[in-house]
Amino acid sequence: MITIERVTKRYGETYALRDVSLHIPKGRITGIIGYSGAGKSTLLRLMNGLERPTTGRVIVDGVDVTTLSRRALQQKRQSIGMIFQQFALLSTKTVAANVAFALRCAGVPKEQHPKRVAELLELVGLSDRANHYPSELSGGQKQRVGIARALANDPDVLLCDEATSALDPTTTASILQLLQTLQQSLGLTIVLITHELDVIRAICDDVVVMEDGRIIERSDVYDLFACPATELSQTFVREARGLNDVTRLPKHANGTRLLLTFTGPEAYEPIVSDTTETFGPGLAILGGHILTIQNRPLGTLLVEWTGPKECEGVLIDALRQRVTEVEVLSHERLIP
Ligand SMILES: Nc1ncnc2c1ncn2[C@@H]1O[C@H](COP(=O)(O)OP(=O)(O)OP(=O)(O)O)[C@@H](O)[C@H]1O
Ligand SMILES: [Mg+2]
């Protein structure tokens, strides 16, 4: 659907993007994650022609948007909707008038506006707010107006730049749910920027990790969680799996702390009791949880072995036969 070919974008001396190539497949939700300044928004603005690359090509649905005339580009942009973190609504216009304004920009004949506005507000669940002003809406409702407005052109692609970053977790979940429903019912291709892996986990199919103007990793979302390849994605995934604090949790002086990862049916096997049977007592369970990613479980179990030291190597080998991954965690602090 969208192909970025060897794109570099420079602002004066600053490189926002460095030799970036990427294909965004049709009808999927692709998440782009990275720290501030990584180049995410620049990449998104190139996709709808708001920016032109310094070098390289951007091809949207077979058309090279980097060579289009202003007029042709404007036309092309009608097939791409965009929503923003700060909603960007017109504060002096009602909800209905905000959406009607987008219809007018899209060249929809005026007599069709009332019906189309009603349809779009229905789609985003805001029919009862048509005559309210943006200042009378919650953040989640404002973003729903933003989505209705972005859909006014009947676009094939929806670009979302930190669309939920200003919202609380519950409202974020409802907006993400709405995006997913719209993606399925309208067959949209969605590209979504975020700095939260939880947003990616909730609705994305694919994920792109950016750092310092480059794409450093691209993966199916489940695979990124199960085996993150780069240091940056490992940091994100450890955070999302609640593991960043684990090394600070004190451990027994003679204990060995192990992190077990489960990705399949082995999660249902009695691994801990089997271990006790073979190696005797000594495996303490410190914590565990399961994340659901793309309807598949990703299990985390944190254990500490305080049994005989000489059994440790064999125990770890035995566990490695049974679970997807066993990581021996290094430690900062010991229990006094
Ligand atoms: N119009 C501009 N003029 C000059 N520099 C810019 C411009 N737009 C972006 N940059 C620079 O390009 C780099 C990438 O910016 P970009 O906005 O794409 O990052 P981002 O990943 O979206 O960050 P954030 O998460 O903070 O939104 C930054 O160093 C930024 O300062
Ligand atoms: Mg940005």
Side-chain angles (χ1 to χ4, degrees):
M1 187 74 201
I2 303 176
T3 305
I4 310 279
E5 270 179 20
R6 306 212 56 181
V7 161
T8 291
K9 177 69 184 177
R10 203 155 39 92
Y11 297 103
E13 296 295 294
T14 310
Y15 279 85
L17 296 172
R18 303 164 194 261
D19 196 14
V20 168
S21 295
L22 174 68
H23 178 68
I24 306 274
K26 200 181 176 90
R28 289 173 74 85
I29 307 185
T30 302
I32 302 179
I33 190 163
Y35 288 138
S36 191
K40 308 181 295 296
S41 296
T42 305
L43 187 60
L44 216 62
R45 288 199 303 268
L46 284 161
M47 290 180 191
N48 69 354
L50 278 176
E51 301 265 10
R52 286 181 192 259
T54 308
T55 58
R57 302 201 307 160
V58 180
I59 296 149
V60 179
D61 217 7
V63 178
D64 182 351
V65 297
T66 48
T67 57
L68 288 181
S69 68
R70 221 184 151 85
R71 200 188 157 79
L73 186 60
Q74 231 155 29
Q75 189 75 31
K76 184 74 193 163
R77 233 181 252 147
Q78 299 297 323
S79 66
I80 303 174
M82 189 155 178
I83 58 174
F84 308 89
Q85 178 175 356
Q86 294 306 336
F87 322 121
L89 304 179
L90 302 166
S91 59
T92 57
K93 286 186 189 291
T94 62
V95 166
N98 264 277
V99 178
F101 183 75
L103 291 169
R104 202 173 91 204
C105 295
V108 177
K110 195 159 183 169
E111 61 275 15
Q112 293 177 18
H113 288 190
K115 182 168 172 281
R116 191 78 186 112
V117 167
E119 281 169 4
L120 286 162
L121 291 181
E122 167 90 42
L123 206 56
V124 299
L126 267 191
S127 301
D128 57 338
R129 292 287 189 277
N131 298 317
H132 286 61
Y133 286 88
S135 61
E136 300 167 331
L137 302 179
S138 69
Q141 290 168 338
K142 283 181 199 165
Q143 194 55 288
R144 284 171 190 267
V145 182
I147 294 170
R149 187 187 50 190
L151 296 177
N153 305 335
D154 220 352
D156 307 317
V157 180
L158 183 63
L159 306 177
C160 314
D161 194 345
E162 305 270 11
T164 57
S165 298
L167 306 175
D168 65 71
T170 309
T171 312
T172 293
S174 77
I175 293 291
L176 294 176
Q177 178 67 53
L178 174 63
L179 288 176
Q180 191 163 42
T181 306
L182 292 172
Q183 190 278 324
Q184 284 161 1
S185 58
L186 306 174
L188 290 171
T189 301
I190 295 184
V191 186
L192 174 156
I193 290 180
T194 180
H195 54 260
E196 286 172 88
L197 203 51
D198 257 352
V199 168
I200 304 263
R201 178 165 76 87
I203 61 164
C204 293
D205 303 303
D206 306 303
V207 55
V208 172
V209 184
M210 290 191 71
E211 183 172 49
D212 197 18
R214 293 191 178 85
I215 291 174
I216 58 168
E217 193 167 349
R218 123 146 256 183
S219 169
D220 168 81
V221 170
Y222 189 90
D223 293 344
L224 185 96
F225 273 84
C227 42
T230 58
E231 211 171 297
L232 181 59
S233 60
Q234 283 160 12
T235 307
F236 279 126
V237 168
R238 288 184 85 86
E239 179 69 38
R241 290 178 71 188
L243 299 173
N244 276 347
D245 278 344
V246 161
T247 53
R248 288 193 288 275
L249 196 67
K251 99 177 166 51
H252 284 94
N254 61 347
T256 299
R257 189 156 302 167
L258 304 171
L259 172 66
L260 314 185
T261 299
F262 303 78
T263 58
E266 83 267 17
Y268 298 93
E269 290 178 19
I271 288 168
V272 175
S273 61
D274 286 358
T275 308
T276 307
E277 209 163 281
T278 314
F279 297 93
L283 196 67
I285 298 175
L286 301 182
H289 60 85
I290 296 179
L291 291 178
T292 308
I293 305 160
Q294 296 174 338
N295 296 320
R296 284 172 64 193
L298 177 70
T300 299
L301 186 62
L302 186 64
V303 294
E304 192 163 310
W305 173 249
T306 50
K309 207 70 186 159
E310 62 272 19
C311 293
E312 191 181 293
V314 193
L315 166 82
I316 292 172
D317 285 345
L319 287 172
R320 287 204 164 117
Q321 302 290 319
R322 304 282 301 268
V323 306
T324 308
E325 200 190 339
V326 179
E327 192 183 338
V328 181
L329 299 176
S330 57
H331 263 81
E332 291 169 9
R333 281 202 295 142
L334 301 176
I335 292 173

